[in-house]
Amino acid sequence: MNGVDLFLLGRTLMKIGEEALPQPVGEHGRRPGGTRSVLVVLSDLTEHPDSAVGEIAARTGLPQSQVSTAVARLKEAGSVTTTPDPADRRRLLVRPAAEPSPRVAEVRSGTVDAALAAALGTDDPARVEEVTAALETLARHLTPATLSRLRA
């Protein structure tokens, strides 16, 4: 496998993951802002609680406006809390909520089976299980913390 193949696989896996996530209900069935940016921001906050929006943007590479939108969605869902920065009262510090929100519980309780079966073009449970097992192995070894080692 080369870098291009890995990149394209990652993109495909992101799309399958997005399909597997239960959609939040809002106007027209969707809320503004991408699921991807919300997941990236929440993942970053898990590793770096009490971060300002600008710090999250710098670490993730997302535009500050996307981070702000993601934080607003996460706050509305009860997934994060904000507090004034004691060093600069104009800034807010963001951290994951002490208890998972109902939305986080809903997202984490779902499986990728249906989205994976659709992407594979099969309803063969053995094939879906085989690919799921391979993905679980990758997920154990390639965590969000892996990215910090790449940037070092």
Side-chain angles (χ1 to χ4, degrees):
M1 174 172 278
N2 61 41
V4 173
D5 292 338
L6 181 60
F7 179 85
L8 294 174
L9 173 62
R11 188 170 184 273
T12 301
L13 292 174
M14 276 195 321
K15 294 292 185 185
I16 295 168
E18 287 173 347
E19 287 298 315
L21 294 174
Q23 291 300 314
V25 178
E27 257 185 69
H28 308 293
R30 297 195 82 146
R31 293 188 185 178
T35 301
R36 196 173 306 150
S37 60
V38 170
L39 291 173
V40 168
V41 168
L42 191 54
S43 175
D44 182 75
L45 284 169
T46 301
E47 291 183 51
H48 307 280
D50 294 322
S51 293
V53 167
E55 295 166 341
I56 299 166
R59 281 192 301 268
T60 62
L62 293 172
Q64 193 159 334
S65 61
Q66 271 190 328
V67 173
S68 293
T69 300
V71 167
R73 284 183 57 193
L74 289 164
K75 188 173 179 181
E76 181 184 330
S79 299
V80 300
T81 59
T82 58
T83 57
D85 183 346
D88 181 350
R89 306 291 287 169
R90 296 170 294 176
R91 292 182 349 150
L92 290 177
L93 299 179
V94 188
R95 71 171 17 250
E99 295 293 320
S101 70
R103 174 69 180 146
V104 168
E106 174 190 20
V107 169
R108 292 206 179 272
S109 69
T111 70
V112 299
D113 294 356
L116 196 53
L120 292 169
T122 185
D123 57 1
D124 178 4
R127 187 162 173 220
V128 172
E129 187 177 320
E130 176 187 16
V131 174
T132 301
L135 293 173
E136 287 170 348
T137 299
L138 288 172
R140 254 192 335 272
H141 294 283
L142 301 173
T143 65
T146 308
L147 296 175
S148 64
R149 290 191 288 272
L150 285 175
R151 293 183 197 123

